[in-house]
Amino acid sequence: MRHKLTHMAVSSVCNKNKEQAMCGLCLEQGVVFSFVTEGFDAIEKADPGFPHYWYEFCDDWDVIVERFKKQPDSALDNRVLWARLFVTSFDASLSAGQLALWRHLSEELATSLPEYPTLSFHLNEASQFPQGIAAYISQDLPDSLELFAEANALLERHLLRANACVTMLNRRESNSVWDLICKEYDKNRDVFLDACWDEFRHRLFACSLLLTWAPESSTLKRFVVASPHYAVDFLALEYRLQRWLLQLCYRVKGVAFLAENAALLLPEHLLYLLHTAQADVSEISAVSQAYFSALEGQTALHPPHYGEKAVREAFETLSHQALSW
């Protein structure tokens, strides 16, 4: 059964809902920051409350597989593990244990989007391809034009929906139409949250296609760096999807991509990406300077959740660690 999601209420319509929804963003920032600054021990301590983060940050796949076998399937855990394996398989072959888990999860999560039949077909085919996603994409696919068109259309549809929702919310010019706006927002809220929950595999696959075939695509860039400011769920799945996509872009485009878009991204995500990639000192410095320049110029979309000093210290610690990598 799908986990119950909460959303960000508009302005002060419902403070309780707003606080619950903000917890999704705070959860993402807090857990990721703790992982980068304190290591996996911090995640293990929080395990009973957030097992899905344990699955996301544990590096021992033998332990992951054994734990997965011993507990019932969870809709969120399945998505987290599938996404991790997707990112791993983008440029490397999976181990026997990873491959078995990947195939099981792909069967559990297999869905088709009627509006995008070619994309759905190839996603399900690629999910069973032993050499990985990148190897599948690099094949000479006979319907590659249709596949590319559907991938692009899926991402554009999301961006259009998001823009329409934001525009609608910005039209609250008078209290007389406030109730009407809130009703319209409520109608659209579940569309956004359900789409993220149900389409996340298709979105990852669509981005990997564009990243491989059209790495300079404006649609790809706008989708990857777009913050889900219109609706935030308690489980922060939208922000986590963004982090997985940023991992793929970082692998292909390098540190220049992070520095160029630092003003639009969570500083915790920047730290995480540099940490997990074992970036060198010059790369860490480039991203750090880009983010703090944006912060000082008041163009940073996401101020540090733990304060500027804590994030500066985290970047400095990362630079010191990089000397021993």
Side-chain angles (χ1 to χ4, degrees):
M1 178 179 293
R2 177 183 161 174
H3 290 262
K4 182 178 180 181
L5 301 176
T6 58
H7 68 284
M8 178 179 290
V10 183
S11 185
S12 59
V13 176
C14 180
N15 290 330
K16 182 178 180 181
N17 282 349
K18 183 174 181 180
E19 290 170 2
Q20 288 176 333
M22 285 301 294
C23 284
L25 174 56
C26 294
L27 176 66
E28 174 70 4
Q29 291 176 299
V31 174
V32 173
F33 189 79
S34 296
F35 173 71
V36 173
T37 57
E38 301 174 46
F40 186 64
D41 286 347
I43 306 303
E44 287 197 298
K45 289 177 183 177
D47 179 20
F50 309 104
H52 38 279
Y53 275 106
W54 184 95
Y55 273 127
E56 190 162 355
F57 294 133
C58 180
D59 277 336
D60 191 330
W61 279 96
D62 289 335
V63 174
I64 289 174
V65 170
E66 286 306 308
R67 174 169 176 164
F68 184 83
K69 290 178 180 177
K70 294 176 181 177
Q71 66 183 44
D73 279 15
S74 156
L76 179 59
D77 293 344
N78 288 358
R79 282 162 170 75
V80 167
L81 286 171
W82 190 93
R84 282 197 66 187
L85 291 167
F86 179 96
V87 172
T88 300
S89 71
F90 184 73
D91 55 10
S93 298
L94 300 177
S95 68
Q98 288 174 319
L99 187 59
L101 180 57
W102 165 257
R103 286 176 171 168
H104 167 76
L105 293 171
S106 295
E107 291 176 2
E108 288 291 312
L109 298 172
T111 55
S112 294
L113 301 180
E115 316 96 304
Y116 307 101
T118 307
L119 184 67
S120 296
F121 171 78
H122 283 288
L123 170 58
N124 291 328
E125 289 291 303
S127 298
Q128 299 298 326
F129 197 67
Q131 283 75 39
I133 294 296
Y136 182 87
I137 294 173
S138 66
Q139 297 180 107
D140 184 15
L141 302 174
D143 49 2
S144 58
L145 291 178
E146 293 91 337
L147 180 57
F148 179 82
E150 289 188 10
N152 194 76
L154 175 67
L155 301 185
E156 284 288 354
R157 182 179 72 171
H158 168 84
L159 291 169
L160 286 171
R161 284 177 173 173
N163 183 65
C165 191
V166 171
T167 300
M168 176 189 66
L169 295 178
N170 287 338
R171 289 170 53 197
R172 57 182 192 271
E173 296 178 0
S174 67
N175 291 333
S176 62
V177 297
W178 182 252
D179 289 342
L180 177 61
I181 289 173
C182 290
K183 287 178 182 177
E184 288 300 311
Y185 175 77
D186 287 340
K187 279 191 216 175
N188 285 278
R189 177 192 64 219
D190 289 341
V191 172
F192 286 115
L193 296 182
D194 288 345
C196 183
W197 187 263
D198 297 332
E199 296 177 4
F200 91 102
R201 293 169 61 250
H202 293 80
R203 293 180 182 184
L204 274 168
F205 188 50
C207 285
S208 70
L209 289 168
L210 268 62
L211 191 58
T212 303
W213 294 344
E216 301 307 316
S217 163
S218 63
T219 298
L220 173 67
K221 178 180 176 179
R222 286 184 293 122
F223 183 84
V224 172
V225 302
S227 290
H229 50 275
Y230 49 84
V232 180
D233 66 78
F234 178 73
L235 300 173
L237 186 60
E238 292 169 286
Y239 278 104
R240 297 164 84 173
L241 173 61
Q242 183 182 47
R243 178 153 44 86
W244 297 323
L245 294 174
L246 288 169
Q247 281 185 285
L248 295 179
C249 290
Y250 183 22
R251 290 186 185 187
V252 174
K253 293 173 170 283
V255 74
F257 177 83
L258 296 185
E260 178 186 346
N261 297 289
L264 303 173
L265 303 175
L266 291 171
E268 294 82 6
H269 282 182
L270 296 172
L271 287 164
Y272 171 84
L273 293 164
L274 295 168
H275 172 73
T276 53
Q278 294 192 330
D280 61 35
V281 175
S282 64
E283 293 175 329
I284 297 169
S285 177
V287 175
S288 175
Q289 288 178 15
Y291 175 74
F292 286 111
S293 292
L295 189 64
E296 290 166 6
Q298 298 185 335
T299 59
L301 189 60
H302 299 286
H305 180 61
Y306 289 103
E308 181 178 345
K309 181 181 177 182
V311 173
R312 283 189 182 276
E313 290 175 351
F315 273 109
E316 290 170 4
T317 300
L318 206 56
S319 294
H320 289 308
Q321 292 175 346
L323 296 175
S324 61
W325 286 340

